[in-house]
Amino acid sequence: MIDESSLVIIGGGLAGSEGAWQAASRGIKVHLFEMRPCLSTPAHETEWLAELVCSNSLGSERPDRALGLLKRELRQLNSLILRCAEACAVPAGGALAVGRKAFARMVTEAIEGHPNIELIRQEIRRIPEETTTIVATGPLTSDALAQDIGTLTGQEHLYFYDAMAPIVTRESIDENKTFRASRYDAEEADYINCPMTKAEYDRFVEALVNADTITLRDFEQEDPHFFEACLPIEELAARGHKALAFGPLRPVGLEIPETGERPYAVVQLRQDNLAGTLYNLVGFQTNLKWSEQKRVFSLIPGLENAHWVRFGQMHRNTYINAPAFLEPTMRWREREDLYFAGQITGTEGYVASTASGLVAGINAARTLRGDEELVFPRTTMLGALLHYVARTEEENFQPMKPNMGLLAPLPERIRNKRERYAARAKRSQRELTCFIAGKNVGEDIVVTQDLGETG
């Protein structure tokens, strides 16, 4: 039964699952609607919540890096997604990467096991009225709901394109042509590296830029609107012959063990599941036809006879012009009981999506309890990111990944970038700790289920 004291959340991705957990842990009855498996999407493969459809990496763990800092803040706020990710982590150097299936299964089990959450497998075609609601449908919002959101915003074609990288089996990679290492040997040798000579790189780039891509639909061809932080590899290669060598195929920090020499370019593969049987090609989001992917990517040394368990795919990602409609609390300005969260707001990436879901869940719960909403300080990565989403003055709003440039400046000038970032990270931790204590943010969080290892 949905009543005025309950919270409706539409979408069971990272943001929706996090928001549901945060609100439910504060005593709010949550009705979480997820349309899969009744209605699937071009990118999802399972019916599990929080399924990762692109990379399996949640980014750097270093506290002086934007994603590392944001993850540390989410840990302070008892994030469900972060705890599940850490329990399902796979080797990824200095990054946090997860086994996809184990992670999604653990999140689903946690949500289904929470006494205050009802998981409903049903498509919501319109935003409910007179009901406190969080819209967290993600970049693959169903057509019907996207149309209703378009009516609400008055903007019909606001989108960008994202893509998924291909995956190969570990046993099909030629070990005689590859080596294991992380850049600068700073971490465990968690990546499989496919080194290229200049001739091999030249041949690969030529084949890539001349390969056939999947034809976009008529209305999509008018404005493909690729997102700069996640370009298809063929789009990046078309911008210049050396673009890949300075981008995802950069060889810096890597040496061929037998010779000690730096290769001209390197394709890196990252473990994709807990068993270590699957690896994805880092930075290889693509819109090439599947037959072309097999032909072109088989030119990569070590992948000549690779078994491709998933080819890359391209899909349209929908997002709203958040600065025109949202507050940093994730609340809709013109409606006190409506919140948005996740990538549909322009918080780009897994961790940022989780962060906005966490804030929306906390604030929706506080509103239902009659408490004041929380605006997190701009000196924290969480607060800085959501302030950008809600208050940026850029004319052409685009999704934004967390970055250190979003943080409020330090009172003193520090010229060294690493020292400057470290100082900002230290300030963030200090001020978030004070903010949590002063606002009683975490006092009512109750962990209702053991989130240990899952099979």
Side-chain angles (χ1 to χ4, degrees):
M1 173 100 182
I2 299 176
D3 56 39
E4 61 182 13
S5 64
S6 300
L7 172 63
V8 169
I9 298 181
I10 310 173
L14 296 172
S17 297
E18 184 67 55
W21 180 266
Q22 294 296 329
S25 297
R26 289 165 169 77
I28 301 300
K29 181 65 177 178
V30 177
H31 306 276
L32 176 60
F33 288 85
E34 169 53 50
M35 67 181 186
R36 293 177 294 119
C38 304
L39 179 64
S40 191
T41 76
H44 289 90
E45 298 178 355
T46 76
E47 63 183 55
W48 289 326
L49 304 179
E51 179 184 344
L52 306 183
V53 300
C54 296
S55 167
N56 69 322
S57 174
L58 278 69
S60 174
E61 284 283 76
R62 288 179 50 176
D64 60 346
R65 299 287 178 85
L67 283 174
L69 176 57
L70 183 56
K71 287 200 290 290
R72 187 173 69 179
E73 294 174 357
L74 292 178
R75 291 185 183 101
Q76 286 184 260
L77 292 162
N78 194 23
S79 165
L80 167 71
I81 296 300
L82 260 292
R83 284 190 284 123
C84 290
E86 289 164 350
C88 300
V90 299
L96 174 60
V98 303
R100 296 172 192 267
K101 292 183 179 180
F103 169 73
R105 183 165 57 245
M106 179 174 281
V107 174
T108 303
E109 291 173 352
I111 292 297
E112 290 179 335
H114 200 298
N116 287 336
I117 301 176
E118 178 186 11
L119 177 59
I120 305 168
R121 300 286 186 168
Q122 176 186 328
E123 179 193 7
I124 297 296
R125 301 174 65 87
R126 294 179 61 86
I127 299 173
E129 297 181 358
E130 299 181 359
T131 301
T132 303
T133 301
I134 298 175
V135 178
T137 47
L140 299 174
T141 299
S142 69
D143 292 342
L145 185 58
Q147 184 175 357
D148 191 51
I149 294 171
T151 300
L152 180 68
T153 64
Q155 302 177 50
E156 297 181 10
H157 298 292
L158 190 58
Y159 56 84
F160 66 92
Y161 283 87
D162 201 358
M164 297 185 296
I167 296 175
V168 300
T169 61
R170 172 68 183 89
E171 63 183 6
S172 69
I173 302 170
D174 188 346
E175 294 182 357
N176 295 320
K177 297 183 178 181
T178 64
F179 64 94
R180 280 190 171 273
S182 294
R183 296 187 191 278
Y184 303 106
D185 292 325
E187 308 290 345
E188 296 294 327
D190 292 334
Y191 291 83
I192 295 177
N193 299 277
C194 304
M196 286 181 168
T197 64
K198 184 178 185 302
E200 290 168 335
Y201 175 82
D202 291 343
R203 182 178 62 165
F204 173 74
V205 171
E206 182 178 0
L208 183 61
V209 297
N210 290 301
D212 292 333
T213 58
I214 296 173
T215 303
L216 301 178
R217 290 171 290 182
D218 290 342
F219 78 94
E220 295 173 331
Q221 293 179 5
E222 297 175 0
D223 181 16
H225 205 164
F226 293 118
F227 178 41
E228 289 294 321
C230 196
L231 286 173
I233 192 166
E234 64 273 12
E235 177 75 12
L236 181 58
R239 296 186 173 188
H241 186 75
K242 293 186 178 181
L244 297 182
F246 287 96
L249 274 63
R250 64 191 183 281
V252 294
L254 295 169
E255 295 180 351
I256 300 174
E258 291 80 4
T259 65
E261 296 178 349
R262 175 191 290 185
Y264 186 82
V266 173
V267 175
Q268 289 196 303
L269 286 81
R270 178 174 55 224
Q271 186 173 327
D272 198 82
N273 65 342
L274 285 176
T277 58
L278 302 177
Y279 276 73
N280 65 69
L281 279 66
V282 177
F284 268 63
Q285 299 88 353
T286 181
N287 192 40
L288 295 185
K289 293 181 178 179
W290 289 4
S291 60
E292 291 287 75
Q293 290 184 46
K294 184 174 182 179
R295 178 182 69 85
V296 176
F297 297 161
S298 293
L299 296 174
I300 298 170
L303 302 185
E304 292 89 346
N305 299 304
H307 175 57
W308 305 88
V309 299
R310 186 186 79 183
F311 287 109
Q313 296 182 44
M314 195 88 169
H315 49 273
R316 192 183 79 179
N317 282 4
T318 304
Y319 68 99
I320 64 174
N321 185 16
F325 305 111
L326 297 184
E327 294 291 343
T329 60
M330 296 289 95
R331 180 177 56 79
W332 194 260
R333 290 196 184 118
E334 302 301 323
R335 182 174 157 181
E336 294 184 354
D337 61 354
L338 178 61
Y339 295 80
F340 277 73
Q343 292 190 50
I344 197 170
T345 69
T347 51
E348 200 281 323
Y350 296 146
V351 182
S353 179
T354 298
S356 64
L358 179 143
V359 171
I362 289 175
N363 280 326
R366 292 179 70 89
T367 295
L368 284 166
R369 292 178 4 177
D371 297 330
E372 180 184 3
E373 291 179 313
L374 300 181
V375 178
F376 285 82
R378 289 187 63 191
T379 48
T380 65
M381 184 57 65
L382 179 59
L385 177 66
L386 299 189
H387 188 276
Y388 169 84
V389 166
R391 297 288 173 83
T392 183
E393 296 180 356
E394 294 184 11
E395 293 184 5
N396 298 315
F397 175 69
Q398 277 204 350
M400 175 64 72
K401 284 189 173 184
N403 63 83
M404 300 300 280
L406 294 175
L407 291 170
L410 293 163
E412 69 281 7
R413 184 176 182 182
I414 303 177
R415 294 184 179 275
N416 183 278
K417 184 172 73 171
R418 178 168 292 184
E419 293 177 359
R420 183 168 66 250
Y421 286 179
R424 288 180 177 177
K426 184 176 180 180
R427 178 187 62 179
S428 166
Q429 184 178 27
R430 180 181 66 250
E431 298 206 4
L432 182 59
T433 299
C434 294
F435 183 81
I436 290 173
K439 298 293 185 178
N440 298 320
V441 174
E443 66 176 7
D444 45 10
I445 295 177
V446 178
V447 179
T448 60
Q449 182 174 348
D450 181 15
L451 296 177
E453 293 285 351
T454 186

